[in-house]
Amino acid sequence: MTDSTAENGPHLEVRVWRGDDSAGKYVHYQAPLREYQTILDVVTWIQRNAAPTLSYRFACRVGMCGSCAMMVNGKPRWTCRTQVNKVAKGNRLTLAPLRNLPVIKDLVSDMSEFFDKWQEAQGRFQPSATREDAVASVAPQSAQRRAADAGIECINCAVCYAACDLVTANSKYLGPAALNRAWTLVNDVRDSGQSARLRAVSGSGGCHNCHAQQGCVTYCPNELNPTASIAGLKRATLKAAMRGEL
Amino acid sequence: MLTVRMHFFQRLSALVMAPLVLVHLATMIYAIQSGLDASEILARTQGSLFWGMFYGLFVIAVAVHAAIGLRVVVYEWLKVACAGLEVFTISVGILVLGYGGRAVVAVVF
Ligand code: SF4
Ligand code: SF4
Ligand code: FES
């Protein structure tokens, strides 16, 4: 079914998921092909010109907020920074909501479980000092600071969560982003919640389940390496267990 | 579905198996060169404390490793969970230990 015809000139053939988990189908649209356009530009064009009720999510449009991720031709992408000419084969696009999450409507997936697991993994800073204490000094070159640095630029886009086959197979699995966050905090010398955190990442959905085949690393738009962070957690939890602290 | 303890035993058993597999393969290739048959092999292994311990350890490591590995497959692909998963894991371990142990006994005693 063609809901719209693009302006004259070269165009893209776009299939867009319309509906939710219970019912829906791919609807076909045509959108103009323009130089340097992003996937998000295409979705926006479709919504403005062909399908005003199309739901999708974005905010910053510059790769900062992490809200625009979708499945593009079967692969999870941050759509505001993904250029059409890099991913559209034969000017064809198939757009779907992020994998491994429930669908609210059209291209909007429900991120609740993704953020809940972030909390479950104790992915929040637990201060060890008060405002009366001196500001902690953390040497930028220290091994711990460098380990934290390597994982800190996460934008919570859930691209890795959608790429992870283990999330599909084991719904309890905390996922690459939450575990990556936990690892950055394990390396935060100011944090006071370490034993609770190590316990939290050692449960039945914890870091030890990771297959380490790096789907998350392949697709993380910020080129982070959650697999390496998870390997760090495996080592840290093992050490803690051997000391009888888990 | 793995916990830190199972992860530990999975790694430990892999660590134990790696050199044993290499020694096993190297010995087989070396021993077979001049055309040994089963009775000649048995003549060398029977009564040998070394080979008894070597293959005994091997069987224990395989039993642990296979049980934990298959546990993951069964949980993730067949959605077997809770008591069923524990029963499955322990059964695989006992099965491998039983068959492997019988083979070790046959070769050494
Ligand atoms: S390496 Fe681990 S976290 Fe990353 S995609 Fe694979 S199973 Fe998921
Ligand atoms: S680790 Fe990468 S892919 Fe995963 S949520 Fe963070 S930025 Fe996105
Ligand atoms: S819209 Fe903010 S990251 Fe894409």
Side-chain angles (χ1 to χ4, degrees), chain A residues 81-131:
Chain A
R81 297 289 302 272
T82 303
Q83 287 195 4
V84 169
N85 59 16
K86 300 256 165 64
V87 295
K89 289 185 207 87
N91 291 341
R92 285 175 191 282
L93 285 174
T94 299
L95 305 178
L98 267 187
R99 179 174 170 249
N100 289 339
L101 290 165
V103 182
I104 298 174
K105 179 175 175 283
D106 302 339
L107 298 171
V108 179
S109 43
D110 183 349
M111 306 275 284
S112 314
E113 75 174 46
F114 175 73
F115 291 118
D116 288 348
K117 286 178 178 177
W118 192 276
Q119 294 301 322
E120 222 180 290
Q122 299 288 320
R124 57 179 177 276
F125 179 63
Q126 305 283 8
S128 55
T130 67
R131 67 181 64 207

Side-chain angles (χ1 to χ4, degrees), chain A residues 11-55:
Chain A
H11 60 264
L12 285 162
E13 303 292 340
V14 193
R15 292 165 72 231
V16 180
W17 177 258
R18 302 298 308 269
D20 55 25
D21 276 336
S22 55
K25 62 177 187 305
Y26 283 100
V27 176
H28 177 257
Y29 302 98
Q30 282 187 341
L33 178 68
R34 292 185 179 136
E35 217 181 347
Y36 302 124
Q37 77 196 134
T38 63
I39 302 293
L40 189 63
D41 293 335
V42 174
V43 177
T44 301
W45 189 93
I46 292 173
Q47 195 213 43
R48 290 197 182 155
N49 297 281
T53 58
L54 175 66
S55 301

Side-chain angles (χ1 to χ4, degrees), chain A residues 98-231:
Chain A
L98 267 187
R99 179 174 170 249
N100 289 339
L101 290 165
V103 182
I104 298 174
K105 179 175 175 283
D106 302 339
L107 298 171
V108 179
S109 43
D110 183 349
M111 306 275 284
S112 314
E113 75 174 46
F114 175 73
F115 291 118
D116 288 348
K117 286 178 178 177
W118 192 276
Q119 294 301 322
E120 222 180 290
Q122 299 288 320
R124 57 179 177 276
F125 179 63
Q126 305 283 8
S128 55
T130 67
R131 67 181 64 207
E132 319 304 336
D133 296 306
V135 174
S137 87
V138 179
Q141 290 313 315
S142 66
Q144 275 189 301
R145 177 65 230 189
R146 289 224 294 260
D149 268 348
I152 208 82
E153 297 290 348
C154 173
I155 57 169
N156 307 5
C157 64
V159 161
C160 55
Y161 194 80
C164 178
D165 286 339
L166 181 53
V167 174
T168 318
N170 176 354
S171 58
K172 287 206 191 89
Y173 183 51
L174 294 168
L179 292 170
N180 176 71
R181 172 65 180 152
W183 174 241
T184 62
L185 288 167
V186 164
N187 285 288
D188 191 329
V189 291
R190 304 163 307 158
D191 190 283
S192 67
Q194 301 301 3
S195 11
R197 185 168 298 116
L198 290 180
R199 265 197 304 280
V201 300
S202 299
S204 57
C207 63
H208 307 99
N209 294 280
C210 171
H211 295 182
Q213 92 281 26
Q214 309 198 358
C216 50
V217 183
T218 307
Y219 291 102
C220 172
N222 272 347
E223 297 178 358
L224 303 187
N225 189 338
T227 315
S229 301
I230 293 167

Side-chain angles (χ1 to χ4, degrees), chain A residues 166 169-170 203-204 208-209 211 234 238 242 246, chain B residues 1-4 7-8 11 72 75-77 79:
Chain A
L166 181 53
N170 176 354
S204 57
H208 307 99
N209 294 280
H211 295 182
K234 287 177 180 170
L238 212 52
M242 282 174 163
L246 262 193
Chain B
M1 203 264 273
L2 294 187
T3 56
V4 63
H7 172 75
F8 170 74
R11 290 289 163 100
V72 174
Y75 178 73
E76 289 178 12
W77 286 80
K79 308 287 173 213

Side-chain angles (χ1 to χ4, degrees), chain B residues 47-68:
Chain B
S48 162
L49 182 68
F50 172 78
W51 288 118
M53 280 174 45
F54 182 93
Y55 284 110
L57 188 62
F58 192 81
V59 165
I60 293 170
V62 172
V64 171
H65 202 79
I68 298 174

